[in-house]
Amino acid sequence: WSSDVCSSDLGVLPSSGLYDRILNQSAMAKIPFPSFMGELNDLFVGGMPLGHIVNIAADTGVGKTTLVNEMIYYWIFNSPHMIGIVSMELDAGQYGEVLLSRHLSQKLALIANTEEKLELLRSDKIKGKADDLMKTPEGESRFYLLDNRDGTVEEIQDTIEELVVACGAKVIVLDPLQDILDGLSNEEQAVFMKWTKGFVKSHHVTFVFINHMRKTPAGQNGADNEQNIMGSSTIIKSASANILLKRDKMA
């Protein structure tokens, strides 16, 4: 018997090459959570690693979009890896306005007068702030945004692949996952999740899926149980971590 008969072309790795893989894995920088989620950094031992699926879910009205946008805003400036954003609820202009509002600490959507709003946006001060948000000091893009929300599942998959392969994105945030899976059977949803798991393995990226929760009877909190994430059970099973957000909306 000889190990020479084994070929890496077949996807077989000899144990003699495993140590180098361990070193590469250990050297890979993690993606930190913002300071207000500092306990998650402790639970993840420094932040999210690459090569995983992470679900974030919350009941309707809890404010998960606000929290997720705050995470993305933090990652744009602090992630060691390029961020790719797939927003299924907002188009590029709307999403850009949300991020710029956060950067300015001024909600642009509340400016009712169109001319006043455009005058503000065209000012040198705001253009400078926008450049700071969207470009590095070297003039490179800080993040990428998928602007094809109405495509088929296959078209969205192709665009995500382009985000990773052509644009170098290593962290893909999809908000919300259910908008892609809407109308698909459990079996079809399982096929999509199988694709994400295979893509994570082949390209060593991390998917962050934002999820809706099923409505629960009055007095019960769906975010107490990850099984209440809407859709196929493969969504829960495919993830390395399920982060459930909740707050007392009556407080």
Side-chain angles (χ1 to χ4, degrees):
W1 179 87
S2 172
S3 61
D4 293 340
V5 300
C6 290
S7 170
S8 59
D9 294 337
L10 302 176
V12 177
L13 177 68
S15 60
S16 58
L18 191 55
Y19 182 69
D20 288 339
R21 296 292 185 94
I22 296 173
L23 292 176
N24 291 337
Q25 172 68 27
S26 299
M28 192 70 65
K30 293 185 176 182
I31 306 107
F33 290 95
S35 58
F36 74 93
M37 300 176 111
E39 290 185 11
L40 282 179
N41 284 323
D42 295 335
L43 291 171
F44 278 80
V45 195
M48 285 191 303
L50 287 184
H52 292 269
I53 296 172
V54 176
N55 284 318
I56 298 176
D59 287 331
T60 301
V62 164
K64 60 179 174 292
T65 297
T66 300
L67 288 170
V68 169
N69 285 346
E70 191 65 23
M71 293 164 64
I72 291 172
Y73 178 75
Y74 179 81
W75 289 337
I76 286 171
F77 293 98
N78 297 282
S79 170
H81 309 290
M82 179 62 73
I83 306 296
I85 303 163
V86 183
S87 176
M88 302 302 296
E89 295 181 334
L90 302 176
D91 64 26
Q94 293 167 334
Y95 195 84
E97 182 176 295
V98 168
L99 282 181
L100 183 57
S101 294
R102 169 61 183 87
H103 193 54
L104 298 173
S105 298
Q106 177 183 2
K107 198 164 186 178
L108 296 171
L110 295 181
I111 303 175
N113 187 291
T114 302
E115 291 302 320
E116 178 186 341
K117 185 175 181 178
L118 286 173
E119 183 179 355
L120 175 67
L121 288 171
R122 288 169 177 159
S123 68
D124 290 340
K125 178 181 178 181
I126 299 304
K127 287 171 66 176
K129 287 282 190 178
D131 279 346
D132 179 52
L133 170 66
M134 299 171 191
K135 299 177 184 178
T136 67
E138 296 74 31
E140 302 293 331
S141 294
R142 289 194 186 274
F143 61 93
Y144 288 92
L145 181 67
L146 185 150
D147 194 23
N148 179 24
R149 302 177 305 141
D150 300 322
T152 64
V153 173
E154 290 76 17
E155 288 172 338
I156 291 174
Q157 287 174 330
D158 289 342
T159 309
I160 290 174
E161 290 183 7
E162 185 171 346
L163 275 175
V164 173
V165 176
C167 304
K170 300 295 284 184
V171 182
I172 305 297
V173 183
L174 202 160
D175 182 14
L177 175 62
Q178 282 68 29
D179 277 19
I180 286 184
L181 303 182
D182 188 34
L184 301 183
S185 66
N186 282 340
E187 290 74 19
E188 290 169 326
Q189 292 181 41
V191 170
F192 177 82
M193 294 308 299
K194 182 178 181 180
W195 172 81
T196 62
K197 288 192 293 184
F199 196 72
V200 161
K201 183 177 180 180
S202 61
H203 291 80
H204 207 60
V205 301
T206 283
F207 279 106
V208 180
F209 291 140
I210 315 306
N211 292 271
H212 292 310
M213 306 281 284
R214 295 185 181 91
K215 289 186 177 181
T216 53
Q220 296 184 22
N221 192 327
D224 286 332
N225 191 340
E226 63 188 9
Q227 301 300 324
N228 287 324
I229 291 177
M230 289 181 62
S232 166
S233 62
T234 56
I235 297 172
I236 305 167
K237 296 173 183 176
S238 299
S240 300
N242 296 304
I243 302 172
L244 308 181
L245 310 175
K246 66 178 182 177
R247 69 179 174 94
D248 182 1
K249 294 193 291 183
M250 302 305 292

